[in-house]
Amino acid sequence: MDNFLNVTNKQREIKLILKQVGWSQRQFAGKYSIDESDRDIEEYEINKFQESFKKQLNRKTTKLEILDKYIFYLKNTCEFKKLINSGETEEFIPLTGLFEDYKIILNEEHDTTYRKVLEVAAAYALAIGSAWGFNIVQLEKDEFQSSFLVIWEGDVGHNHGSGTWGPAMCKVVTSHFGYYFVSSGDHYFETSLRCISEVVGYSNNELILIGYKYGDNDANNYPSLKHKVRMVEDNEDKWSVIDCEYIGDRF
């Protein structure tokens, strides 16, 4: 649990610093690539690093040491030091996985609709245990109703063990009056994965996830076998795996 929260918090801190110094991910990629290289950098190399950096800011499996390098670089830029000296930096508040995170989670969601979804989904998730890493997928939208699947990593019941956390989910729908509410939930979302690294999306009535399973010699908190999973929902809001494809190892 702690490792995944640490990754999330470092990703959030990088995004906050970029916002404060006024850099886009593209600008960071260019400056970092040039400053950290002992040779001239080609444009295609900056583009390649930018794509890698974008993924590293969203994947739950990004190595902590990589994120630490980016934070160290950003905090030593002239732009950030200038903000520090003028007292203009915004305090970074790490997530804890507990209910005190609720306001932070909502404040960091800028999409109006997704924020309304999180208002009920995050409250639900944090009321049943610790929760972090929320992902929202829209399932349906018509003139009468919209529905969303919200997936998070959580430790239901606060069991405080590395073997007790895993994916959980709830379904959020809108009433015809426009109110959002949780219509169903699964505290132990059976995806066949130990952890979900990416929610690819929902298409043709299939939910697509990428995550990790255990290899023979893996530690409990470090599954190494990467898989792509396809899931479908039945008429009773139950999800089941219809395909699980091995796509590589984590290095």
Side-chain angles (χ1 to χ4, degrees):
M1 169 180 163
D2 290 342
N3 186 69
F4 282 84
L5 263 180
N6 284 337
V7 169
T8 298
N9 280 323
K10 290 182 185 296
Q11 291 168 333
R12 292 175 57 247
E13 186 173 8
I14 290 170
K15 291 174 183 177
L16 178 62
I17 297 175
L18 288 176
K19 176 185 175 183
Q20 291 181 99
V21 299
W23 289 1
S24 65
Q25 291 183 14
R26 170 68 181 175
Q27 288 173 302
F28 171 82
K31 292 175 184 291
Y32 185 86
S33 298
I34 293 170
D35 290 346
E36 296 296 304
S37 177
D38 56 3
R39 60 177 178 80
D40 292 338
I41 297 293
E42 301 291 338
E43 187 71 18
Y44 79 89
E45 293 176 288
I46 294 176
N47 293 336
K48 183 177 180 181
F49 174 68
Q50 180 188 356
E51 287 302 311
S52 176
F53 178 63
K54 180 179 178 180
K55 292 176 181 177
Q56 289 167 345
L57 286 188
N58 291 286
R59 284 178 178 161
K60 299 173 185 176
T61 52
T62 302
K63 292 183 178 179
L64 290 171
E65 52 265 33
I66 292 175
L67 299 173
D68 282 333
K69 283 177 61 178
Y70 297 153
I71 292 172
F72 180 82
Y73 173 83
L74 284 165
K75 287 186 174 180
N76 282 278
T77 60
C78 294
E79 290 86 348
F80 187 75
K81 288 181 177 179
K82 184 178 179 181
L83 292 173
I84 288 287
N85 293 334
S86 63
E88 297 178 12
T89 55
E90 181 181 338
E91 180 186 5
F92 173 70
I93 303 174
L95 296 173
T96 64
L98 304 177
F99 207 92
E100 59 219 48
D101 294 346
Y102 183 70
K103 288 185 178 179
I104 301 173
I105 292 168
L106 296 186
N107 287 338
E108 292 184 352
E109 178 54 66
H110 303 298
D111 182 281
T112 303
T113 299
Y114 281 10
R115 182 185 172 93
K116 290 179 179 178
V117 173
L118 275 177
E119 284 177 355
V120 294
Y124 175 84
L126 292 166
I128 61 173
S130 55
W132 61 93
F134 290 87
N135 288 277
I136 302 173
V137 181
Q138 181 150 14
L139 301 177
E140 299 176 306
K141 183 178 182 180
D142 57 39
E143 59 181 315
F144 302 107
Q145 177 178 280
S146 294
S147 62
F148 304 83
L149 186 68
V150 183
I151 304 170
W152 65 91
E153 299 288 340
D155 185 2
V156 175
H158 301 287
N159 288 314
H160 301 296
S162 61
T164 61
W165 64 264
M169 72 81 171
C170 68
K171 187 175 183 179
V172 175
V173 301
T174 58
S175 71
H176 60 281
F177 294 112
Y179 299 115
Y180 291 73
F181 64 95
V182 173
S183 66
S184 61
D186 192 340
H187 298 177
Y188 304 97
F189 191 29
E190 295 294 342
T191 64
S192 79
L193 301 169
R194 179 63 179 93
C195 63
I196 299 169
S197 62
E198 181 182 356
V199 177
V200 178
Y202 181 76
S203 178
N204 298 321
N205 297 317
E206 292 183 0
L207 175 67
I208 303 173
L209 309 171
I210 291 177
Y212 292 89
K213 293 187 175 188
Y214 290 118
D216 291 338
N217 300 310
D218 289 346
N220 185 56
N221 64 344
Y222 199 84
S224 65
L225 304 182
K226 189 175 185 179
H227 287 74
K228 182 177 182 179
V229 168
R230 292 163 47 224
M231 303 182 70
V232 294
E233 183 184 25
D234 64 21
N235 293 330
E236 297 180 350
D237 291 341
K238 297 294 183 181
W239 291 85
S240 59
V241 175
I242 60 170
D243 184 64
C244 183
E245 176 188 1
Y246 168 74
I247 55 177
D249 288 2
R250 174 162 62 175
F251 297 100

